[in-house]
Amino acid sequence: MLARFFNKASIKQLVLSNIVSIIFIALSLIGMMLSELNSVYIFNELINRISRNSFLVLSLLIPILAGLGLNFGLVIGAMAGQLSIIAVTYWQVEGIIGFLLCIILALPISILLGYLTGRLFNATKGQEMIAGLIVSFFANGLYQFLLLVMVGTAIPMSNNVMIKPDGIGLRNTIALNGVNGNGGIKYALDGIFRLNLFYFIIILAVLLIIYSLYNLERIKKDRIVKKSKETYIVYVVASIVLIVISVLILLGDNMYKNLKIPLITWIVIAVLCLFNKLIMRTKIGQNFRTVGHSQHIAKVAGINVNRTRIQAVIISTVLASWGQIIFLQNIGTMNTYGSHMQVAMFSIAAILIGGASVTNAKISHAITGVVLFHMIFIVSPTAGKALFGDAQIGEFFRAFVVYGVIGVSLGLHAWKKYKLGKM
């Protein structure tokens, strides 16, 4: 069994397939050592960043599988989410009701914007990533015109906290914690219930053991199961190890046992993972895969390629709008004219770091990418200060990571297409 998993060919293939992720794991470990940050602080920050960013990154999956590449138009969905937050904050609807109202209001806006973006992508086939980047700049201009010029003139608003002193346009920042600093949609989702991280790990490990034993029993009865017997045995052993470690931490005298996760937010992220998994098993999901593999084959099979591509963009835009609402309720403050600007860049960089490509992406790529990308973000300023005496070096490294990873990925994609064309 071990020989099968650890032969030279399989190790080489594993390294080549995950070279970007391996590099960033190494960078994260080096950064942690150089920064000398408290590990409890790092894990706490990481939990917050996983909670606030995972939904946005997961919204990239369907367009990639549908052959649209990396959806730089994600910014448009983020704008839709922010418009709904502005309306709900102005109406002073607070808590989970306000959060749900944001979700409802963002839905029709993002569907319309997603449809228009999808139409544009159909008119620019083969150049969707460039088109998405340009249309996000164009939409940002309209967004700023609406909130800087139209609000207070054509759109009457009388909230002195949100409107600029001259009465025209929204302020640069809008607090999401209510008029009196207690309420709003800040932590509306995250604050519902927080569960100790290690209780959460124990629960997941127990569920994984039950799942693995069930499948081992199915294998014993000669029923068809996707994974091998050895894989489920590894799951059981790993789960037992996790349970033992978690119990020891909970019984010990350490700060780790105080780490908590926003359980409802993580459940919402898990539901999106399940949605992405299940939709690909439906007819529309198979259409996405077929169109992503070959538009010509899809046409021959009777699939309406243009409509399928538009559906993929609409789903991604809606999910991005909801992801931005989750992101901002975690932050608690909205930069009216800037919160949406780097959404696509950061999300795309994260999923690429996780091992995805322009044509292939999985849920595991998204989650792994969020962890590695934000680990770099946490440790890089302090590591830069320790190494060069200037924390600003770490900030420059962040920008290098974002644009560098995207550039390298696009370069590799072009190189692979060139090589395939010569074969």
Side-chain angles (χ1 to χ4, degrees), residues 96-139:
I96 190 63
I97 303 299
F99 177 84
L100 293 174
L101 184 57
C102 287
I103 296 294
I104 293 168
L105 289 176
L107 183 61
I109 302 172
S110 55
I111 287 174
L112 174 62
L113 295 177
Y115 173 77
L116 295 175
T117 305
R119 290 288 300 269
L120 175 66
F121 286 172
N122 282 339
T124 56
K125 286 178 181 175
Q127 306 295 329
E128 292 91 349
M129 287 183 281
I130 296 172
L133 193 60
I134 298 304
V135 77
S136 66
F137 291 136
F138 173 72

Side-chain angles (χ1 to χ4, degrees), residues 15 44 92 119-120 166 206 230-231 241 257 283 333 366 369 376-377 422:
V15 170
N44 192 54
Q92 298 181 18
R119 290 288 300 269
L120 175 66
D166 61 4
V206 169
E230 291 85 356
T231 304
V241 171
K257 65 181 182 181
K283 185 179 184 301
T333 304
I376 292 290
F377 258 53
K422 291 185 71 177

Side-chain angles (χ1 to χ4, degrees), residues 359 412-423:
T359 55
L412 286 172
H413 177 63
W415 177 76
K416 287 177 182 177
K417 285 184 72 174
Y418 171 76
K419 295 293 285 185
L420 286 171
K422 291 185 71 177
M423 289 175 64

Side-chain angles (χ1 to χ4, degrees), residues 6 15 33 50 92 98 101 111 121 153 191 205 211 219 231 234 261 298 334-335 388 393 396 417:
F6 296 104
V15 170
M33 289 187 290
I50 291 170
Q92 298 181 18
L101 184 57
I111 287 174
F121 286 172
T153 53
Y211 170 76
I219 291 172
T231 304
V234 170
I261 62 164
M334 185 175 80
N335 183 335
F388 302 103
I393 298 294
F396 293 147
K417 285 184 72 174

Side-chain angles (χ1 to χ4, degrees), residues 310-330:
I310 289 173
Q311 288 170 341
V313 177
I314 288 174
I315 292 171
S316 180
T317 308
V318 170
L319 293 177
S321 69
W322 292 348
Q324 185 70 351
I325 295 168
I326 292 172
F327 177 90
L328 290 173
Q329 64 85 37
N330 179 277

